Amino acid sequence: MANVFYMCATGAYSPTAYQLKFENDRFTILSESIGIGICPFDPNDNVTAVLIEKGSIGGIPALFAGAVTDFSKHDSIIARLPTYRQDGSLEADYVRTVRSRHDWLNEPQFVGSFDVGPYVYFFFREQAAEYSNCGRKIYSRVARVCKNDLGGSNHLKNIWVSYSKARLNCSIPGEYPYYFDEIQDVKFHGDTFYGLFTTNINGLPASAICGFTLIEIEKAFDSPFKEQKEKQYIWLPVPPGDVPTPRPGNCSAIGKNARYSIDFLPFISRLSMLMDKAVAHTLGRPIFYKVNSVMQRLVVVKNVTGPRDLVLFTATNNGIIYKIAAWAGLTELDPPKTYIVTTYVPFNDQRSIWQLVFHGSSIYFGTDMAVGQLSVETCKKYKKIDLCLYDPYCGWATDFEECVSKDVERRNKITYHHLDLLSYSLEETIKKQVGNLYNPETLSKTAGSSVTMKIEYKLHIIGSVRWTRNGTGVSGDRHILAQDNSLIVTDLRVSDEGSYTAVDNKGRTVASYTLVVETSKEQIEQRWMRKFDQWCDEFERYQEDIRQWERKCSSCCDETALANIKVPAIGGGK
């Protein structure tokens, strides 16, 4: 139904589900029902639900959910609610995971559910049963069930016969991989799931975004099942000969007229339905990761600039929203280049952001107490060329030397895709587009005065720079390094003359000055004469501009109108 919303409420530990209709800028309640198995008991619990229309049994829309069914949270479930025909008769009864089987679901926190082909996928984190002999550990999972699953028979009546799950591997590769084990959010685009993961809160806080393709997920579900023969045994793959036919999880082999081998249902009864192989992430490494940050919500935007480029928005537990550009690698086998291009801090205090939604040209976010809106386009704040080009929503207008929206028409505008990073470094390819990244200058100052040599490099500089004079590092009380990396030299002396160069921590020359210290009266007079000559030239150009302006006005304006026009006042020169 159009404009109808399905809403969950904890109902003071009495889960309640509502159908709401939105019309005339107001919500009205269409129906109210018990929400156990769909809605949470506790506001801090994470549940998920998805309405399936295509491929559902009898063509009747069915609600699939991951939640808990009791106040104590001992009975976690993945379930499909019963569906009914228009005459009120039952089309398909409910189906769920096995009750109180912690090897099927062990204190799960659900983060997402998706309708993909014949399956419904559920993403969650849970206590890892296969790690229980070594201690308490949380793993991230993807589970799936078939849409046409009617459940088993006898002791498996109303129990999934297609349920299986696999671990999600989001880690930094190495001799000792660094794992991000706790999934916080997930989004699906094209054939890839993008998951937001964190480390355990008791360790070093860090967050990562990993991608999982349907092909890699299918490989994991085609791998052997994993089992623990006895409680103290290690978990091992199930031999292929012990797996019944049809293989559990095969949607084409189940349904109303399905016939199972004699060992099919006992196999499901005794196994955890955990796969031996973990789902590998794309390119074997995270798309993005950041330490000392706990990110808990994710938005993925594709096709801003190209089919392989991504814009990622994440929200943290302390009220920060990051905009991250993930530019595709030079080939499909190369990892993307990622940059945090904008950091939004919408609040003065630290508060968790629980919801993040992209719509139109804005990001909407929600906290416990407020809802806010932010523009995704922040081009005007970029004063450096590289920071502008990193942002997929922006481009650099070389004629005006400013960052503009990618949708603004400029004759000489460059974007990240104009950079030939295969042949040149970032600095070299930008230089080919815009020319010199800094302009060498000559400064003349009188002895005893002070001079400031500024950094006006056109690219972003991280950290401090090192200044040298004639190749030797500058030092002493009269040489001051300002916060913006400018060099201030006080009480100038003749010995301060020379060539000054600033080099950043990447080895780039970012400024160059030639300093002349004037001591004689003649030198000072000559410098002021040069200044006076420059001012005279500038004044003459100004007068010529005024004369041209007056000639143009006289050809199109009458004398009365011309008399009312105010000519700009003549300003002084330097």
Side-chain angles (χ1 to χ4, degrees):
M1 295 174 63
N3 297 325
V4 174
F5 296 82
Y6 197 87
M7 189 188 78
C8 273
T10 55
Y13 294 95
S14 177
T16 307
Y18 297 92
Q19 279 195 14
L20 306 177
K21 185 174 180 62
F22 184 73
E23 56 184 354
N24 299 325
D25 296 328
R26 297 187 64 180
F27 283 103
T28 56
I29 298 176
L30 297 181
S31 66
E32 177 181 338
S33 59
I34 296 174
I36 295 177
I38 311 169
C39 304
F41 282 82
D42 187 331
N44 295 316
D45 287 343
N46 294 305
V47 301
T48 184
V50 58
L51 184 66
I52 304 299
E53 297 181 273
K54 185 178 180 180
S56 58
I57 297 174
I60 300 174
L63 190 66
F64 289 68
V68 294
T69 64
D70 61 343
F71 173 80
S72 62
K73 308 177 188 178
H74 286 304
D75 185 28
S76 302
I77 65 167
I78 289 176
R80 183 190 66 228
L81 273 62
T83 58
Y84 298 89
R85 305 182 186 94
Q86 290 187 349
D87 61 3
S89 59
L90 181 68
E91 173 65 35
D93 205 352
Y94 77 91
V95 187
R96 56 160 293 165
T97 45
V98 179
R99 185 183 300 273
S100 301
R101 280 283 300 272
H102 295 304
D103 54 347
W104 275 44
L105 289 173
N106 192 4
E107 301 179 28
Q109 292 288 333
F110 296 96
V111 300
S113 50
F114 302 88
D115 173 7
V116 183
Y119 298 103
V120 180
Y121 289 88
F122 291 85
F123 289 80
F124 56 96
R125 59 186 185 271
E126 66 170 353
Q127 298 293 333
E130 67 269 37
Y131 196 84
S132 58
N133 288 347
C134 302
R136 185 180 174 91
K137 186 80 169 178
I138 293 178
Y139 282 166
S140 295
R141 309 285 196 197
V142 55
R144 72 181 187 185
V145 294
C146 295
K147 297 177 185 177
N148 62 336
D149 193 337
L150 291 169
S153 58
N154 301 325
H155 63 289
L156 289 184
K157 180 176 175 59
N158 301 115
I159 301 298
W160 298 110
V161 295
S162 60
Y163 173 80
S164 54
K165 65 180 181 178
R167 182 185 177 187
L168 296 168
N169 174 15
C170 181
S171 61
I172 300 174
E175 184 177 358
Y176 300 99
Y178 188 84
Y179 288 96
F180 301 86
D181 279 327
E182 301 189 16
I183 189 169
Q184 303 293 333
D185 201 0
V186 62
K187 294 294 184 287
F188 183 55
H189 287 271
D191 65 344
T192 303
F193 291 98
Y194 298 93
L196 175 62
F197 296 78
T198 61
T199 54
N200 189 274
I201 59 173
N202 295 320
L204 174 68
S207 303
I209 300 170
C210 288
F212 304 92
T213 64
L214 288 173
I215 292 176
E216 291 299 329
I217 291 176
E218 192 65 36
K219 287 180 181 178
F221 282 112
D222 285 341
S223 71
F225 290 93
K226 179 179 279 189
E227 69 173 342
Q228 184 185 38
K229 290 285 188 181
E230 300 291 342
K231 189 173 183 179
Q232 300 302 321
Y233 288 14
I234 63 173
W235 290 68
L236 295 171
V238 176
D242 293 347
V243 179
T245 302
R247 178 185 168 96
N250 184 354
C251 296
S252 62
I254 64 175
K256 291 183 178 180
N257 300 318
R259 293 186 178 183
Y260 306 125
S261 60
I262 194 172
D263 55 347
F264 182 84
L265 295 180
F267 180 85
I268 295 174
S269 296
R270 68 180 176 85
L271 243 66
S272 66
M273 306 309 293
L274 174 64
M275 312 313 300
D276 182 56
K277 180 180 174 64
V279 181
H281 45 338
T282 55
L283 303 174
R285 63 184 65 243
I287 297 171
F288 169 84
Y289 66 90
K290 179 176 173 59
V291 298
N292 296 320
S293 179
V294 180
M295 301 176 178
Q296 52 194 27
R297 286 297 177 266
L298 172 67
V299 165
V300 179
V301 184
K302 298 194 73 173
N303 297 320
V304 174
T305 56
R308 295 174 54 223
D309 301 323
L310 300 173
V311 182
L312 310 167
F313 294 87
T314 64
T316 70
N317 66 340
N318 59 353
I320 297 175
I321 298 173
Y322 293 105
K323 178 170 66 174
I324 305 160
W327 294 96
L330 298 177
T331 71
E332 292 188 359
L333 298 179
D334 294 324
K337 297 284 187 180
T338 57
Y339 309 93
I340 295 179
V341 294
T342 302
T343 301
Y344 303 91
V345 185
F347 304 107
N348 293 326
D349 59 345
Q350 296 186 356
R351 62 180 78 176
S352 288
I353 296 175
W354 298 113
Q355 191 58 269
L356 203 61
V357 176
F358 172 78
H359 180 72
S361 59
S362 299
I363 284 288
Y364 297 86
F365 59 94
T367 70
D368 288 328
M369 303 297 293
V371 175
Q373 177 184 5
L374 295 167
S375 173
V376 299
E377 193 262 276
T378 55
C379 303
K380 289 184 178 179
K381 79 180 187 70
Y382 302 124
K383 306 305 178 184
K384 301 296 184 179
I385 299 175
D386 51 344
L387 297 183
C388 175
L389 298 182
Y390 289 155
D391 193 323
Y393 291 97
C394 304
W396 185 263
T398 58
D399 291 347
F400 297 88
E401 292 194 341
E402 64 177 351
C403 190
V404 298
S405 169
K406 68 180 182 64
D407 298 323
V408 172
E409 290 295 331
R410 287 287 190 273
R411 185 176 61 181
N412 294 317
K413 183 177 69 176
I414 60 172
T415 65
Y416 189 90
H417 281 297
H418 289 96
L419 305 181
D420 184 6
L421 297 176
L422 183 61
S423 305
Y424 305 99
S425 67
L426 177 68
E427 292 76 18
E428 290 171 335
T429 186
I430 291 179
K431 187 175 180 180
K432 287 182 176 294
Q433 297 283 346
V434 303
N436 291 331
L437 300 179
Y438 69 94
N439 294 315
E441 293 186 46
T442 297
L443 300 176
S444 295
K445 293 290 181 178
T446 58
S449 64
S450 63
V451 65
T452 299
M453 288 175 265
K454 295 183 178 181
I455 302 290
E456 295 181 339
Y457 197 58
K458 295 181 180 180
L459 304 185
H460 180 55
I461 298 173
I462 299 176
S464 60
V465 302
R466 180 175 181 267
W467 283 91
T468 61
R469 185 181 69 85
N470 299 331
T472 303
V474 296
S475 60
D477 295 339
R478 295 186 300 106
H479 298 84
I480 303 169
L481 183 64
Q483 189 173 2
D484 64 353
N485 284 321
S486 298
L487 178 65
I488 303 172
V489 185
T490 62
D491 189 18
L492 283 173
R493 304 167 186 174
V494 175
S495 59
D496 292 323
E497 287 188 330
S499 297
Y500 287 79
T501 303
V503 178
D504 71 355
N505 54 21
K506 293 183 178 181
R508 304 178 301 185
T509 299
V510 297
S512 177
Y513 288 89
T514 299
L515 178 62
V516 178
V517 180
E518 301 164 342
T519 57
S520 67
K521 181 180 179 181
E522 291 76 11
Q523 286 178 315
I524 297 173
E525 288 178 348
Q526 288 175 2
R527 178 162 65 88
W528 281 108
M529 288 299 296
R530 289 195 298 271
K531 286 278 188 182
F532 183 77
D533 290 341
Q534 292 173 2
W535 184 88
C536 289
D537 292 340
E538 184 176 340
F539 182 74
E540 181 61 35
R541 286 194 297 271
Y542 180 85
Q543 285 187 316
E544 178 60 29
D545 290 340
I546 291 296
R547 286 191 289 268
Q548 291 181 5
W549 177 77
E550 289 175 340
R551 286 194 295 270
K552 289 181 180 179
C553 283
S554 63
S555 63
C556 63
C557 305
D558 58 28
E559 292 183 359
T560 303
L562 185 59
N564 291 327
I565 296 177
K566 294 182 179 180
V567 179
I570 298 175
K574 294 183 179 179

